[in-house]
């Protein structure tokens, strides 16, 4: 007699284990860090703590922005700690390394902190997904807005690793495509404290806009020192290409006022986002940015995919992730393209003046909504080998 197959759900190791791997002690500690870990735990709690009857566990580690350390942690998690998926992955060099390892291990990664478009471009994988934002979206938002306002000549201060290169390249391509000019660039080490020589080069270039192709404390420190050098007082504008509410809070409205940025999430945009933001604030003391809210969304969608697939098998879950729309506090009618890019609306925002902020953390005025199909690169042009025209 041939046994019949049942529809019994399959969960490996009788548990689902999610790893949040990011920078928790360096320049991106507030940008992602422990706050992304809390967002992931919130998502699991809101899902009920279980999927297909199996408990869900979240663990975390600090990769210190080192690709080799990140890869070693990921390998240990996969080989000895039964981790099923790794998420967040702030720092593009780490994100690329872990995504490549995860392909070999047939494990899903969902990047919410890493920014380079290579994740869904030449280095895309069947198990790699990119959620909150990327360098193309930042260029389309902030870069295009400043060019339209007359900022048609640029000089870049660029973080000297994969993220910085990708952000500078994407923004440069957009500026040139709109008829603007890139007068030059200079690269600085990650977590540098002295920007004087870099800022002097930017100042002497005569560019109307100084593009800060960096993030976290690097961007905040560059803005502070640019003010000390009198760059903005002399008519040059700063473009903080990746700057979130976490960094605005750290810098303060007095210093940050007037900056134009691109965000994938703003807590005070709708009643639903405000409710989530206040819940997040109650447990962290900070309002969420797009990395934190994006991590909540990624964890939630991953658990929904397991539920729908009836298994945590990576191939089955990846298939469902590509098929399911994303509707939650982060994205409305988001879709996942063949290259793993989650397409969703982005928001062009301006930092308020101190007198315009009515409540704590009420820092942004939303200037425009950028539809997902405009905000993100056409998958057919991404260079991803998984995409066929």
């Amino acid at each position: 007699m041939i046994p019949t197959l049942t529809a019994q759900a399959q969960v490996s190791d009788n548990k689902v284990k999610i790893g949040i791997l990011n920078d928790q002690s360096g320049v991106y500690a507030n940008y992602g860090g422990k706050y992304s870990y809390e967002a992931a735990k919130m998502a699991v709690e809101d899902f009920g703590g279980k999927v297909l009857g199996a408990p869900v566990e979240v663990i975390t580690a600090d990769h210190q922005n080192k690709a080799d350390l990140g890869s070693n942690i990921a390998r240990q998690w996969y080989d000895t700690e039964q981790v099923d998926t790794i998420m967040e992955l702030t720092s593009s060099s780490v994100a690329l390394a872990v995504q490549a390892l995860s392909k070999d291990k047939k494990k899903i990664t969902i990047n919410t902190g890493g920014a380079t478009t290579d994740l869904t471009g030449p280095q895309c994988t069947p198990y790699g997904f990119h959620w909150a934002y990327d360098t193309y979206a930042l260029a389309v938002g902030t870069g295009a807005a400043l060019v339209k306002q007359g900022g048609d000549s640029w000089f870049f201060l660029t973080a000297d690793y994969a993220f910085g290169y990708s952000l500078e390249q994407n923004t440069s391509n957009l500026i040139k495509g709109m008829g603007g000019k890139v007068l030059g660039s200079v690269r600085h080490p990650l977590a540098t404290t002295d920007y004087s020589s870099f800022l002097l080069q930017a100042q002497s270039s005569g560019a109307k806009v100084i593009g800060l192709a960096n993030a976290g404390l690097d961007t905040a420190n560059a803005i502070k020192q640019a003010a000390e050098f009198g760059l903005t007082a002399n008519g040059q504008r700063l473009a903080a290409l990746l700057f979130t509410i976490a960094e605005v809070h750290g810098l303060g409205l007095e210093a940050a006022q007037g900056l134009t940025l691109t965000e994938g999430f703003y807590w005070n945009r709708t009643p639903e986002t405000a409710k989530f933001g206040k819940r997040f604030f109650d447990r962290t003391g900070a309002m969420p940015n797009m990395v934190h809210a994006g991590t909540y969304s990624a964890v939630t969608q991953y658990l929904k995919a397991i539920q729908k697939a009836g298994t945590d098998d990576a191939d089955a879950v990846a298939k469902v992730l590509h098929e399911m729309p994303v509707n939650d506090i982060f994205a409305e009618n988001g879709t996942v393209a063949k290259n793993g890019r989650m397409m969703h609306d982005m928001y062009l925002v301006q930092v308020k003046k101190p007198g315009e902020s009515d409540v704590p953390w009420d820092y942004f005025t939303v200037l425009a909504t950028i539809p997902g199909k405009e905000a993100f690169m056409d998958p057919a042009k991404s260079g991803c080998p998984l995409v066929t025209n």
Side-chain angles (χ1 to χ4, degrees), residues 336-353:
V336 178
K338 291 180 180 179
N339 62 348
R341 174 68 259 172
M342 200 269 276
M343 316 286 275
H344 60 91
D345 293 348
M346 296 288 289
Y347 305 98
L348 183 68
V349 304
Q350 188 168 52
V351 180
K352 293 182 176 182
K353 297 176 181 178

Side-chain angles (χ1 to χ4, degrees), residues 21-29 33 61-71 73 89-91 93-94 161 190-191:
L21 184 59
N22 60 15
D23 174 18
Q24 299 177 13
S25 56
V27 293
Y28 304 139
D62 181 0
H63 60 47
Q64 299 174 33
N65 295 310
K66 299 175 182 177
D68 55 347
L69 177 58
S71 293
I73 293 170
L89 293 167
T90 295
S91 192
S93 54
V94 178
Y161 76 106
L190 181 69

Side-chain angles (χ1 to χ4, degrees), residues 38-79:
E38 288 299 323
K41 290 194 293 182
M42 280 180 69
V44 171
E45 291 164 13
D46 289 351
F47 202 81
K50 292 184 178 182
V51 61
L52 300 177
V56 182
E57 181 183 356
V58 183
I59 64 172
T60 190
D62 181 0
H63 60 47
Q64 299 174 33
N65 295 310
K66 299 175 182 177
D68 55 347
L69 177 58
S71 293
N72 289 339
I73 293 170
R75 190 179 300 276
Q76 178 183 335
W77 277 359
Y78 289 150
D79 292 349

Side-chain angles (χ1 to χ4, degrees), residues 22 96 187 267 346 374:
N22 60 15
L96 289 167
R187 293 177 175 176
W267 74 270
M346 296 288 289
E374 295 177 18

